[in-house]
C-alpha cells in the first residue's frame, strides 16, 4: 500500500494511491487507521507533500554501506553510527533544496528512509520491524565544506530543506530488494542496492531505539549506497527507488 500526504485546494490530507487516483482518508493513517471519506481525487489534481513530518527527529545512519565487496569480505564489525537532523530540514517533492549562503560545496545522497509507526524503546532486533510503518525516499543533503571546517556534522546536515522526503510511504516495501538510482539534471551520479549494507534495517532500528525513544513519524535514513553528488543553483536532483517512486527537487541559492 502506498500512502500519500497531499494538498488540494485549502486542505491537507492523506490518501491511498489507487492507480491514478487517491482514496482520501479521514486522518493520518499512522494514528487514525485507513478509514476512507468516500472521496477520490485524481493524482494530477493534487500537490504531493512530504509524506511524513517527523514529530521529533530524523536519524541518519553514517557509513552504513561497505565501499565495495572487498571491504565487505574483510568482515570488519562495528556498531552502527548515526547523526541527527532537525525535523525542520524536511521538505517534500518539488520543494527546493536551498543552498545556504555559508557554503560553497553542497552534496546530495539518495537514501531509503524508514518511517517509525509506534513508540519504540529498546526494541529487540527480532521485534524491530513491527515498529516500522513503512518506507519512503530521502535525499540527505550536506554542506561538505562546513563539515570539514567544523569537523562535525551538525551544522552541515541541519539547514532547512536539507532532508527532502517522498513522494509516498510504501507500507509493504521489501528493503532487501532495494534498487536506488540518483540523477542530477538527468545525469546519473549514484547507484546501489542492499547488498553492501553493514547492518539490516532491523539492526539499525534496534540500535537507535536503545539510545533514545523513537516516536511515530520519526524517520531513519538508512545510508547512501554509492557516491554523493555536488549541486549548484539551477540543478534538479532525482532519487529513484524501484517500487516507491521518484523524489525530485530543484536546487536554489538562498
Amino acid at each position: 500500500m502506498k500512502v500519500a500526504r497531499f494538498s488540494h485546494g485549502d486542505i491537507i490530507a492523506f490518501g491511498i494511491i489507487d492507480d491514478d487516483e487517491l482514496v482520501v482518508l479521514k486522518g493520518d493513517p499512522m494514528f487514525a487507521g485507513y478509514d476512507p471519506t468516500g472521496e477520490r481525487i485524481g493524482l494530477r489534481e493534487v500537490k504531493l507533500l512530504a509524506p511524513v513530518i517527523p514529530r521529533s527527529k530524523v536519524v541518519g545512519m553514517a557509513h552504513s554501506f561497505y565501499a565495495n565487496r572487498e571491504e565487505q569480505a574483510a568482515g570488519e564489525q562495528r556498531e552502527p553510527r548515526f547523526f541527527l537532523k532537525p525535523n525542520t530540514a524536511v521538505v517534500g517533492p518539488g520543494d527546493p533544496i536551498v543552498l545556504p549562503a555559508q557554503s560553497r560545496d553542497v552534496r546530495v545522497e539518495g537514501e531509503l528512509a524508514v518511517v517509525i509507526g509506534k513508540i519504540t524503546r529498546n526494541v529487540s532486533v527480532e521485534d524491530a520491524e513491527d515498529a516500522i510503518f513503512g518506507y519512503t525516499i530521502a535525499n540527505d543533503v550536506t554542506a561538505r565544506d562546513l563539515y570539514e571546517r567544523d569537523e562535525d556534522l551538525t551544522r552541515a546536515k541541519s539547514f532547512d530543506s536539507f532532508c527532502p522526503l517522498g513522494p509516498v510511504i510504501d507500507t509493504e516495501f521489501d528493503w532487501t530488494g532495494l534498487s536506488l538510482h540518483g540523477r542530477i539534471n538527468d545525469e546519473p551520479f549514484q547507484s546501489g542496492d542492499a547488498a553492501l549494507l553493514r547492518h539490516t534495517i532491523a539492526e539499525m532500528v534496534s540500535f537507535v531505539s536503545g539510545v533514545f525513544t523513537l516516536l511515530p513519524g520519526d524517520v531513519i535514513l538508512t545510508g547512501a549506497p554509492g557516491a554523493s553528488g555536488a549541486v549548484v543553483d539551477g540543478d534538479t536532483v532525482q532519487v529513484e527507488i524501484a517500487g516507491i517512486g521518484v523524489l525530485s527537487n530543484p536546487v536554489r541559492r538562498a
Side-chain angles (χ1 to χ4, degrees), residues 158-233:
S158 296
F159 288 95
D160 291 353
S161 81
F162 268 29
C163 189
L165 295 175
V168 299
I169 297 172
D170 190 328
T171 61
E172 300 172 359
F173 183 77
D174 179 5
W175 67 267
T176 63
L178 174 67
S179 176
L180 183 150
H181 300 278
R183 300 181 292 274
I184 299 173
N185 304 328
D186 294 325
E187 292 295 325
F189 74 93
Q190 180 186 15
S191 181
D193 54 35
L196 295 179
L197 268 173
R198 294 179 184 271
H199 304 280
T200 67
I201 302 300
E203 288 170 340
M204 294 180 192
V205 173
S206 175
F207 181 83
V208 172
S209 78
V211 179
F212 42 63
T213 301
L214 293 166
L215 300 179
D218 283 352
V219 172
I220 298 177
L221 313 184
T222 61
S228 66
V231 291
V232 297
D233 182 32

Side-chain angles (χ1 to χ4, degrees), residues 74-96:
E76 178 191 4
Q77 298 296 320
R78 65 187 186 196
E79 289 183 320
R81 301 175 182 178
F82 66 86
F83 54 88
L84 295 177
K85 281 178 176 275
N87 57 6
T88 50
V90 172
V91 294
D95 293 334

Side-chain angles (χ1 to χ4, degrees), residues 20 26 39 41 43 47 56 58 62 72-73 90-91 108 112-113 115 132 150 186 207 212 217 220 226 231 248-249 254:
D20 59 353
K26 291 182 178 179
E39 182 183 10
I41 302 176
L43 268 175
K47 173 177 171 51
S56 64
V58 176
Q72 185 179 44
V90 172
V91 294
V108 293
L112 176 67
V115 180
I132 297 173
D150 296 348
D186 294 325
F207 181 83
F212 42 63
I220 298 177
V231 291
S248 180
N249 297 91

Side-chain angles (χ1 to χ4, degrees), residues 23-96:
V23 178
V24 182
L25 300 176
K26 291 182 178 179
D28 184 339
M30 196 177 302
F31 303 99
Y34 299 98
D35 193 4
T37 64
E39 182 183 10
R40 285 175 171 260
I41 302 176
L43 268 175
R44 293 185 178 181
E45 299 175 37
V46 307
K47 173 177 171 51
L48 293 180
L49 307 175
V52 62
I53 298 296
R55 289 177 63 183
S56 64
K57 54 194 169 291
V58 176
V59 182
M61 307 307 296
H63 309 295
S64 57
F65 281 82
Y66 291 104
N68 49 51
R69 296 192 182 277
E70 289 72 22
E71 184 182 62
Q72 185 179 44
E76 178 191 4
Q77 298 296 320
R78 65 187 186 196
E79 289 183 320
R81 301 175 182 178
F82 66 86
F83 54 88
L84 295 177
K85 281 178 176 275
N87 57 6
T88 50
V90 172
V91 294
D95 293 334

Side-chain angles (χ1 to χ4, degrees), residues 60 62-63 82-86 103 105 140-159 162:
H63 309 295
F82 66 86
F83 54 88
L84 295 177
K85 281 178 176 275
S103 175
D105 184 9
D140 180 17
V141 186
T142 308
R144 178 69 63 84
D145 51 352
L146 299 186
Y147 164 57
E148 293 172 350
R149 186 186 310 168
D150 296 348
E151 297 184 348
D152 182 85
L153 285 170
T154 304
R155 179 166 65 140
K157 295 279 191 181
S158 296
F159 288 95
F162 268 29

